[in-house]
Amino acid sequence: MLHLRLIVPADRTQAVLHLVENTVGTAHLAVLTGAAREPRGDVILCDVAREAGDGLLHELRALGIDRDGSIAVENVDLSLSTRADQAEKDAPGEGVDAVLWESLTDATHEESTLSFTYLAFLALATMIAACGVVLDNAILIVGAMAVGPEFGPLAGICTALVRRAPRLAWRSLLALVVGFAVAMAATVGFSLFMDAVGLFDAGALTAERPNTNFIYRPDWFSFVVAVLAGIAGVLSLTSAKSGALVGVAISVTTVPAAANAAVAFGYRSYKQAWGSTEQLLLNLAGIVVAGTLTLLAQKLFWARQRQR
C-alpha cells in the first residue's frame, strides 16, 4: 500500500474527494478541513494500493494539485486493516508488478545527478577495479562492480526515452560521460603513481590473467549478460526491490572495463585499451536497450490493465 498526504486548495477539495472515492483500490480516506497553512488548503489523507497509485497520481496532477498544493507519497510497510486488504484485492494486477512512473522519474533524476559524491564513488570503484585487473583478482573486480553508481544514469536514460523527457536524458548522459571520463583520467594517474612506487608494472598487465582477461576480450556473451542485467535492473527499480540492484551491478563489466582501459592507456597498451573500451560500450548499450524495452513493455501492460 501507498500512503498519500495531499494539500488541496479549498476550491478543489470536492473534486479530489470524488476522484479518490471513485478510484478502485483506495482506503482510509480522511479530510482535515483548513489544516494546511503553507500552502493554504485542506489536508486529505488516504491509502491506495500500489497497482492503482500511478493512475491516481496522474489524475491528481491533472487537477493541478502538485502545482497549487502538494502530493506526498510514502510506502506503507505494514497495514493491519481489512479495508486495505480489500482495496488491494479490488485493484487490478499485482502490486509488485506496478510501476509508479512519477516515483521512477524522481528516483532516476536524483541518481543521475552529476555530483561530487557520484564522481567520487565512480572514481574509487574504477581504482579498485584497476588493482583487480593488475593483480588478476576477481574479488576486487566484484567489489568494484558493487561500488560503481553508474546504473543510476543508465536507468535515467531508459526512463527519459520512454517518457520522452529530454532534460532527464541529457542530465543522465552528461553524468555518464563526464563520470567515466573523470574516473578513467583519475585511474590513469593512480596507475602511474602505483607504478612509480613499484606496486604496478607493465608485465602484470600483459600477462595472461585467466581470471580477468575477459574484460578486454568482448564477445556476444558480454552483450547478452548486459541485456539480462538491464532487464533485471529496471525490474528492481520499478518493483521497489532494490536489493536486486547489487546482483545487477556485479553482472556487468562497465567499471572493470573502464579501469582496464585506463591502466592499459597509461602503459601505452592501446590495443588492450581499445578492447576494454569496446567491452564498456557494449555493456552500456546492452543495458540501455534492454532497460528501455522493459519499460515500454511495462507501460503497455499497465495500459491494458487500466482498460480492463
Side-chain angles (χ1 to χ4, degrees):
M1 294 291 288
L2 301 173
H3 178 69
L4 271 62
R5 185 184 73 248
L6 312 174
I7 296 179
V8 182
D11 61 338
R12 270 166 276 183
T13 298
Q14 290 304 315
V16 171
L17 290 175
H18 179 77
L19 172 62
V20 173
E21 290 171 341
N22 287 276
T23 297
V24 176
T26 58
H28 311 143
L29 177 62
V31 183
L32 305 176
T33 303
R37 290 292 180 264
E38 179 55 42
R40 287 190 172 275
D42 302 328
V43 176
I44 298 178
L45 308 173
C46 71
D47 292 339
V48 58
R50 182 181 173 86
E51 51 269 43
D54 188 65
L56 180 58
L57 290 175
H58 178 76
E59 295 298 329
L60 288 170
R61 294 196 67 181
L63 290 173
I65 305 305
D66 59 320
R67 183 184 64 251
D68 302 321
S70 171
I71 303 174
V73 183
E74 299 174 344
N75 284 303
V76 178
D77 295 326
L78 176 64
S79 180
L80 302 177
S81 166
T82 55
R83 290 181 180 273
D85 294 339
Q86 188 59 48
E88 290 186 322
K89 290 180 181 178
D90 293 340
E94 296 292 334
V96 71
D97 296 329
V99 181
L100 293 175
W101 291 100
E102 297 297 336
S103 176
L104 178 63
T105 302
D106 184 69
T108 52
H109 183 276
E110 181 179 349
E111 292 295 325
S112 61
T113 301
L114 186 60
S115 63
F116 173 80
T117 302
Y118 167 81
L119 291 174
F121 269 115
L122 190 54
L124 290 170
T126 309
M127 292 179 191
I128 294 172
C131 295
V133 298
V134 171
L135 298 175
D136 194 32
N137 189 315
I139 295 177
L140 290 176
I141 295 296
V142 172
M145 291 176 178
V147 172
E150 74 279 6
F151 190 80
L154 290 170
I157 292 174
C158 298
T159 304
L161 291 174
V162 173
R163 303 211 72 187
R164 299 178 182 179
R167 287 187 178 180
L168 178 58
W170 169 248
R171 185 189 188 96
S172 302
L173 184 62
L174 182 66
L176 200 65
V177 173
V178 174
F180 271 110
V182 170
M184 292 173 73
T187 304
V188 170
F190 173 73
S191 63
L192 293 176
F193 169 78
M194 294 292 280
D195 180 79
V197 297
L199 295 177
F200 281 10
D201 65 83
L205 188 70
T206 56
E208 182 57 27
R209 289 191 291 158
N211 293 322
T212 58
N213 59 23
F214 66 92
I215 293 172
Y216 57 89
R217 295 175 180 175
D219 53 25
W220 280 108
F221 277 107
S222 301
F223 185 75
V224 170
V225 171
V227 167
L228 296 176
I231 296 172
V234 167
L235 288 176
S236 70
L237 284 177
T238 57
S239 64
K241 292 186 176 295
S242 58
L245 281 177
V246 177
V248 172
I250 61 177
S251 298
V252 292
T253 54
T254 49
V255 166
N260 199 84
V263 176
F265 184 83
Y267 282 121
R268 300 182 181 180
S269 181
Y270 300 123
K271 182 178 180 180
Q272 191 174 137
W274 175 244
S276 301
T277 303
E278 285 184 326
Q279 179 78 274
L280 173 62
L281 296 176
L282 197 63
N283 276 270
L284 295 176
I287 293 173
V288 170
V289 170
T292 302
L293 292 178
T294 301
L295 287 176
L296 285 172
Q298 289 179 295
K299 187 176 183 179
L300 178 61
F301 172 78
W302 280 103
R304 291 182 176 179
Q305 286 288 94
R306 278 199 286 267
Q307 289 175 357
R308 292 176 183 176

